[in-house]
């Protein structure tokens, strides 16, 4: 069998997950792909129900958000 293609899918908000869920689920079922799902933690409370609804397995939770941080601080945190 040939080498699997690695796919990393990153999302941070509920609307992003809703749009990406069909692609994530199809890619995870396809034996040609190795899928890594990464959640930035941007809207943790709002995303939980969608993760459960779609039964998405999260491989990495980055927990990038902190109270009162600016968009610039979020970007810096994401690049580290």
């Amino acid at each position: 069998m040939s080498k699997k293609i690695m796919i990393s899918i990153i999302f941070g908000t509920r609307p992003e997950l809703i749009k990406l869920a069909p692609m994530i689920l199809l890619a995870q079922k396809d034996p040609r792909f190795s899928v890594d799902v990464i959640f930035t933690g941007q809207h943790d409370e709002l995303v939980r129900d969608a993760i459960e609804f779609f039964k998405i397995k999260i491989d990495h939770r980055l927990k990038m958000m902190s109270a009162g941080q600016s968009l610039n601080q979020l970007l810096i945190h994401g690049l580290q």
Side-chain angles (χ1 to χ4, degrees), residues 20-59:
L20 288 169
M23 185 179 73
I24 292 169
L25 296 171
L26 284 173
Q28 287 176 331
K29 290 179 184 175
D30 192 318
R32 296 174 297 169
F33 304 118
S34 174
V35 181
D36 204 27
V37 180
I38 303 165
F39 174 45
T40 66
Q42 191 172 338
H43 292 161
D44 192 36
E45 300 83 29
L46 299 172
V47 174
R48 285 183 198 155
D49 64 333
I51 290 171
E52 292 173 17
F53 178 81
F54 290 110
K55 296 180 173 76
I56 300 289
K57 178 187 170 281
I58 306 299
D59 297 301

Side-chain angles (χ1 to χ4, degrees), residues 10-13 38-42 60-65:
I10 303 169
F11 71 95
T13 66
I38 303 165
F39 174 45
T40 66
Q42 191 172 338
H60 306 283
R61 292 178 185 263
L62 302 181
K63 299 180 183 176
M64 294 175 53
M65 296 300 291

